[in-house]
Amino acid sequence: MSDRQTKDALFDAFAEVAKALANGRRAELVDVLVQGERHVEELATEIGQSVANTSFHLRVLATTGLVTTRRSGTRIYYRLASECVIELWTALRDVAAAHHDELDELAAAYLGDRNRLEQIGRDELAQRIATGAVVVVDVRPAPEYRAGHITSARSIPIDDLAANIDSLPADVEIVAYCRGPYCVYADEAVRLLQQRGRSARRLEDGYPEWHRAALPVTTADTAS
Amino acid sequence: MSDRQTKDALFDAFAEVAKALANGRRAELVDVLVQGERHVEELATEIGQSVANTSFHLRVLATTGLVTTRRSGTRIYYRLASECVIELWTALRDVAAAHHDELDELAAAYLGDRNRLEQIGRDELAQRIATGAVVVVDVRPAPEYRAGHITSARSIPIDDLAANIDSLPADVEIVAYCRGPYCVYADEAVRLLQQRGRSARRLEDGYPEWHRAALPVTTADTAS
DNA sequence: CTGATAATCAAAGACATACTTGATAATGTA
DNA sequence: TACATTATCAAGTATGTCTTTGATTATCAG
């Protein structure tokens, strides 16, 4: 094989990794898996696709080495293969945010007018948690909370929030968090809470960024 | 537009960026452009493709916002749109190296047996440069040297090295560097120099990593 | 203006990818 | 063992991507 062919093959291999992320549904899958492992049916629901198609896309991600699987009974759980996949996904989002002009409109259309919502920084929240002057609510789906969450946070998935507002103390500020900057759950939670007369803010970004900043978390590993 | 459709559109936009890198030839283009701006004909030669096809791929990269252009006479120069594209490319390479099993073989086939070649670390080289006990040779193509190089390095493109060995001092160690860990130029240079009885090593990684480590460089900007 | 150079564009064929439907394989439960 | 559940696979269609060829646009030199 010539040098040219070998070099082409090497860069085709690099491109294979990009190809794995070069589909909106697979991108959504990775974005969900950043939160922790999930089984196929859950993932299909998350991305709004058939189980067969979701399985197909997961297989693409697995073949490229971005995700790995483990079986538990009839369920097969998918998870990211390593931390560096999170870094790749983050770098991809950053480039998209910086250069893809349409993205601003799309993000605005999906995220709504986030400017009106006040955010709280990670360090400030960590301090407030230490002094006990705040209630932290994890509004992601329950499996993501179980996989790992901010220490002392309470799990109230966004769909259950309306029915559970009364169980939250009335005299303390509430901080909601979710998957990250491109997730709307915490925004919805803050809007709902404020409508009900509560003092509420969203945490900047989400759980993965908190975890990455080496702030206190409780994970499925530490709990078992 | 429904929430689902809006979310899909947002993640399709993220996937667009991955799509831009999801082709071996475009990956090669980005890898070359990390070294600095180049015009279309040079890039076509670098990736071994027709000018028309290279232009097509560059247009894909430009549309996605990964590269920008400037015209100078009849030439059009392409460059990476920002630093974060380099980070994305690096993250992609890292994931590929960590997870894509075939990659090891491909890299070995293209890079040859690098284990036998001794490398010198960046910090050690920086010290040696300061004390003057080394000759640093940039074996990349001349345009890449002009765009930016290690301060005090001399440009001898790999194709010209054989004819210029005698111009290098005989009693000092030679350090060759090139584009990075997946570039063979410095390896070839070291093999050639050692065959001719010279003491030679390659720098770990390449120019972009040296630049990123904030070690001394001379760029087209600083020179003009 | 004319001719030369550099880059892009347009059309067309070969090939690859995404999603649906229905069938198959693997595990757990009665 | 038979049945239910979960996930994967296979076939088929629609769509998208890559590369080549030849024509077109943009700039510069004379």
Side-chain angles (χ1 to χ4, degrees):
Chain A
M1 193 148 77
S2 80
D3 231 39
R4 181 77 255 167
Q5 285 176 313
T6 319
K7 187 177 185 188
D8 284 0
L10 178 63
F11 280 83
D12 283 345
F14 289 139
E16 281 298 311
V17 175
K19 235 177 240 178
L21 293 174
N23 172 279
R25 261 23 74 215
R26 289 199 291 271
E28 287 189 56
L29 285 172
V30 170
D31 195 56
V32 172
L33 290 173
V34 167
Q35 310 296 323
E37 67 170 14
R38 304 291 288 276
H39 58 74
V40 181
E41 206 176 349
E42 281 177 336
L43 289 167
T45 309
E46 287 286 354
I47 70 169
Q49 296 288 313
S50 70
V51 170
N53 195 30
T54 303
S55 177
F56 164 73
H57 283 306
L58 286 167
R59 213 92 293 284
V60 174
L61 290 171
T63 304
T64 320
L66 297 192
V67 304
T68 58
T69 62
R70 82 179 167 86
R71 185 183 268 278
S72 169
T74 58
R75 293 288 187 192
I76 290 183
Y77 287 83
Y78 280 81
R79 69 166 70 198
L80 297 185
S82 83
E83 293 288 321
C84 66
V85 177
I86 299 182
E87 283 178 41
L88 174 58
W89 173 239
T90 308
L92 183 67
R93 270 189 347 197
D94 288 350
V95 169
H99 301 305
H100 210 282
D101 293 342
E102 303 168 43
L103 196 84
D104 289 340
E105 302 165 28
L106 288 170
Y110 181 58
L111 302 176
D113 191 0
R114 184 176 281 176
N115 295 334
R116 289 192 206 150
L117 297 177
E118 221 184 324
Q119 300 201 5
I120 181 172
R122 276 184 287 277
D123 293 334
E124 188 187 343
L125 179 58
Q127 284 187 333
R128 294 276 297 277
I129 291 175
T131 61
V134 67
V135 170
V136 183
V137 178
D138 185 323
V139 296
R140 298 174 301 162
E144 300 179 16
Y145 176 86
R146 282 197 294 275
H149 56 265
I150 295 178
T151 299
S152 87
R154 181 174 155 190
S155 172
I156 311 181
I158 186 68
D159 292 337
D160 306 338
L161 183 59
N164 287 278
I165 287 186
D166 293 339
S167 72
L168 292 168
D171 52 345
V172 182
E173 187 184 42
I174 299 162
V175 170
Y177 73 89
C178 54
R179 290 172 177 163
Y182 294 98
C183 178
V184 295
Y185 294 156
D187 295 329
E188 290 177 12
V190 169
R191 289 195 189 93
L192 180 60
L193 289 164
Q194 288 180 345
Q195 274 174 19
R196 301 286 190 92
R198 301 305 186 93
S199 165
R201 282 191 281 175
R202 74 162 280 157
L203 172 65
E204 64 171 338
D205 300 328
Y207 172 72
E209 290 79 7
W210 176 279
H211 185 238
R212 195 167 202 290
L215 290 164
V217 298
T218 304
T219 67
D221 296 338
T222 57
S224 68
Chain B
M1 193 149 76
S2 80
D3 231 40
R4 181 78 254 168
Q5 285 177 312
T6 320
K7 188 177 184 187
D8 283 358
L10 178 62
F11 280 82
D12 283 344
F14 289 139
E16 281 299 311
V17 175
K19 237 177 238 178
L21 294 174
N23 173 278
R25 259 24 73 217
R26 288 198 292 273
E28 286 189 57
L29 285 171
V30 170
D31 196 56
V32 173
L33 290 173
V34 167
Q35 310 297 323
E37 68 171 14
R38 304 291 287 275
H39 58 73
V40 180
E41 206 175 348
E42 281 176 336
L43 290 167
T45 308
E46 287 286 353
I47 70 170
Q49 297 287 311
S50 70
V51 170
N53 196 28
T54 304
S55 177
F56 164 75
H57 283 306
L58 286 167
R59 214 91 295 282
V60 173
L61 291 171
T63 305
T64 320
L66 296 192
V67 305
T68 58
T69 61
R70 82 179 167 87
R71 185 182 267 279
S72 168
T74 57
R75 292 289 187 191
I76 291 184
Y77 287 83
Y78 281 80
R79 69 166 72 196
L80 297 186
S82 83
E83 292 289 321
C84 67
V85 177
I86 300 182
E87 284 178 40
L88 174 58
W89 174 239
T90 308
L92 183 67
R93 269 188 346 196
D94 288 349
V95 169
H99 301 305
H100 211 283
D101 293 342
E102 302 168 44
L103 195 84
D104 289 340
E105 302 165 30
L106 288 169
Y110 181 57
L111 301 175
D113 192 0
R114 185 176 280 176
N115 295 334
R116 289 191 206 151
L117 297 177
E118 221 184 325
Q119 300 200 5
I120 181 172
R122 275 184 287 278
D123 294 334
E124 188 187 343
L125 179 57
Q127 284 187 335
R128 294 275 297 274
I129 290 174
T131 60
V134 68
V135 170
V136 183
V137 178
D138 185 324
V139 295
R140 298 174 301 162
E144 299 179 17
Y145 176 87
R146 281 197 295 273
H149 56 266
I150 294 177
T151 299
S152 88
R154 180 175 157 190
S155 173
I156 310 181
I158 186 67
D159 292 336
D160 306 339
L161 183 59
N164 287 277
I165 286 186
D166 293 338
S167 72
L168 292 168
D171 52 344
V172 182
E173 186 184 41
I174 301 162
V175 171
Y177 73 89
C178 55
R179 291 171 176 163
Y182 293 97
C183 178
V184 294
Y185 294 157
D187 296 328
E188 289 176 13
V190 169
R191 288 196 189 94
L192 179 61
L193 288 164
Q194 289 180 345
Q195 274 175 18
R196 301 287 190 91
R198 301 306 185 96
S199 165
R201 281 191 283 174
R202 74 163 278 158
L203 171 65
E204 63 170 340
D205 301 327
Y207 172 72
E209 290 80 8
W210 176 279
H211 184 240
R212 196 167 199 290
L215 290 164
V217 299
T218 304
T219 67
D221 297 338
T222 57
S224 67

